Amino acid sequence: LKATLISDSASDDAKLYEAVGRFTVTFAIAETCADGMSAIIFNGYGGKTIIARLPRTISQKIEFLEAAAEQLPDLASFAADIKAIVKFFKALVEPRHFIVHGIFGETKSKETVFAKPIVTLDNMHMVHFPATVETIDKHRAGAECLVRLTAGLAIRLSDNLSSRIVENKAFLKAKAK
Amino acid sequence: MDPDAVKRALRGGPVDENTELAAAIGRCSNSWAHAESRLAIIFCLLSKTDLTTAVTIFSFFKATRMQIDVLKRLGKISPLMKPQKLELLTDLMKEYQSLAGERNRLLHNPIGMNEELYIMLRDKSPDPGAIPYKTEAISIEAIDDLSSRISGFNLKAIILSQEISGIRFPAEPLRQSEE
């Protein structure tokens, strides 16, 4: 086995760590926006008919949003946008998994990679994902787009819900008269 | 939804502008990846399977609680484990649980900046109509401290792996050649 040692957090490539930090926080913001959107759909658009409690993991969130776009009639006019966001999230989940859960390593050809799932003494059971500042920043830019799309849609969903409540109140008031 | 709160959340400023902060988060993230791999090695030793199988199975245990429960249960039934090693494993799992909470809090929540750096955390009992998040102060020092505690945990996990297997593992993970 041709292997050399690296320290667990002492890589001299500070730029790489910076890129990881930027990506991680941007993705966390995107995930928080997805939480907000899920909560609005769950509480205001009939999401409770799909699941009993709000999704926790990113895969549960993706699954919920996908099902909501497919099944909830009140979301019909937003379905295409939700599906686009789901597609975007799906594309970022794997890079995120490697960037956040992978270990920095270096291949024989001196390519720096995130290695998953494990490094051992006597064998290699690893999947590699290129770990360059450019690669990570590219995914980070994707995550930033996702933040804007998801937050924007969450606001639209919330506004739509508010206007429906106002309309319903006006309708009930008129009916009572 | 409060648009101002969304705007604040969208501002990636503190992390974009503060390379030290970004690097601290990156280091913490990578230290944790090592902790996960250490646990997979312990799982491999305790389950007496080959590494590929062990890693494959262990990768399905995504929740921290599940990982801990599996390792503790295996520890109890493994003939390789003597009471002292079991105690080490139990202590290690307690530490892992606590570190996982801190790590998840840092890496799964937005970070922003007002007068000081803050992290946005889900508020379990928000005021009616309010955005269900609260903020808490956070610092680069606190993140670095977490990273160093994770590194300490990783060393202890190596020691436990050595105790279980009788094999001397390197103190640091391997940089691997191409598959």
Side-chain angles (χ1 to χ4, degrees):
Chain A
L1 175 72
K2 288 170 190 159
T4 52
L5 296 175
I6 54 167
S7 158
D8 72 351
S9 60
S11 164
D12 52 5
D13 199 345
K15 295 274 175 218
L16 206 54
Y17 284 121
E18 287 167 23
V20 172
R22 283 195 300 268
F23 172 81
T24 307
V25 174
T26 309
F27 193 89
I29 297 172
E31 214 178 327
T32 303
C33 293
D35 284 340
M37 196 162 89
S38 299
I40 292 166
I41 294 172
F42 183 80
N43 291 304
Y45 286 86
K48 287 176 185 172
T49 59
I50 297 173
I51 47 169
R53 52 169 59 179
L54 279 168
R56 286 182 63 87
T57 64
I58 185 67
S59 49
Q60 288 169 351
K61 287 167 202 169
I62 289 172
E63 216 171 285
F64 170 65
L65 291 174
E66 205 163 30
E70 287 288 340
Q71 297 171 26
L72 299 177
D74 286 353
L75 279 179
S77 55
F78 301 101
D81 289 346
I82 295 172
K83 283 177 186 170
I85 284 171
V86 164
K87 201 173 162 188
F88 225 135
F89 261 112
K90 280 183 174 172
L92 277 176
V93 162
E94 195 187 43
R96 196 252 174 205
H97 182 68
F98 276 98
I99 293 167
V100 175
H101 293 279
I103 296 171
F104 288 148
E106 192 177 72
T107 63
K108 216 180 332 183
S109 54
K110 299 286 173 202
E111 185 195 11
T112 308
V113 293
F114 290 103
K116 273 294 287 178
I118 204 167
V119 187
T120 72
L121 257 186
D122 62 347
N123 216 332
M124 50 184 89
H125 309 278
M126 298 170 66
V127 188
H128 294 156
F129 185 84
T132 63
V133 172
E134 291 72 26
T135 313
I136 302 166
D137 277 347
K138 191 188 91 188
H139 291 300
R140 192 261 175 150
E144 202 163 316
C145 289
L146 195 49
V147 168
R148 289 168 198 284
L149 287 172
T150 314
L153 184 54
I155 291 172
R156 278 167 54 212
L157 286 166
S158 174
D159 288 349
N160 181 58
L161 204 58
S162 306
S163 59
R164 271 171 45 198
I165 291 168
V166 172
E167 278 169 22
N168 283 346
K169 276 185 182 164
F171 173 76
L172 291 172
K173 208 174 169 182
K175 201 176 168 190
K177 276 183 184 171
Chain B
M1 190 176 277
D2 174 8
D4 284 340
V6 175
K7 269 186 211 161
R8 282 199 302 275
L10 286 176
R11 235 178 21 210
V15 185
D16 280 349
E17 291 157 15
N18 189 335
T19 53
E20 272 182 51
L21 172 64
I25 295 167
R27 281 194 301 271
C28 186
S29 167
N30 195 52
S31 292
W32 190 253
H34 286 266
E36 287 178 329
S37 77
R38 295 297 172 202
L39 288 201
I41 289 174
I42 295 174
F43 176 79
C44 177
L45 294 168
L46 293 176
S47 62
K48 293 197 285 182
T49 45
D50 68 277
L51 196 64
T52 308
T53 309
V55 165
T56 305
I57 297 170
F58 199 72
S59 69
F60 280 91
F61 306 140
K62 296 203 190 302
T64 307
R65 189 70 252 171
M66 174 74 90
Q67 292 172 337
I68 291 172
D69 286 348
V70 167
L71 289 176
K72 278 166 79 174
R73 181 63 62 89
L74 282 175
K76 278 182 188 161
I77 60 170
S78 168
L80 296 169
M81 296 297 277
K82 299 286 175 272
Q84 185 219 357
K85 291 178 198 169
L86 194 57
E87 203 181 314
L88 272 177
L89 177 67
T90 308
D91 288 349
L92 205 61
M93 291 302 98
K94 267 187 207 155
E95 194 176 346
Y96 183 69
Q97 176 81 66
S98 154
L99 290 171
E102 289 185 68
R103 177 261 179 204
N104 289 339
R105 188 172 165 275
L106 175 69
L107 299 187
H108 285 283
N109 291 297
I111 289 174
M113 180 86 177
N114 278 334
E115 289 80 27
E116 57 179 2
L117 270 179
Y118 67 82
I119 187 158
M120 266 175 79
L121 302 167
R122 178 80 66 89
D123 189 352
K124 284 178 184 154
S125 48
D127 294 330
I131 197 162
Y133 284 90
K134 57 183 179 177
T135 59
E136 265 181 29
I138 193 168
S139 67
I140 295 173
E141 292 74 24
I143 298 168
D144 282 342
D145 175 62
L146 175 58
S147 297
S148 69
R149 283 184 286 126
I150 295 171
S151 292
F153 168 88
N154 292 341
L155 276 176
K156 288 181 210 166
I158 292 168
I159 292 166
L160 180 63
S161 301
Q162 289 172 347
E163 291 283 321
I164 296 171
S165 66
I167 300 168
R168 303 296 298 173
F169 284 84
E172 293 174 331
L174 294 171
R175 176 171 288 186
Q176 185 103 25
S177 52
E178 249 168 348
E179 281 186 302

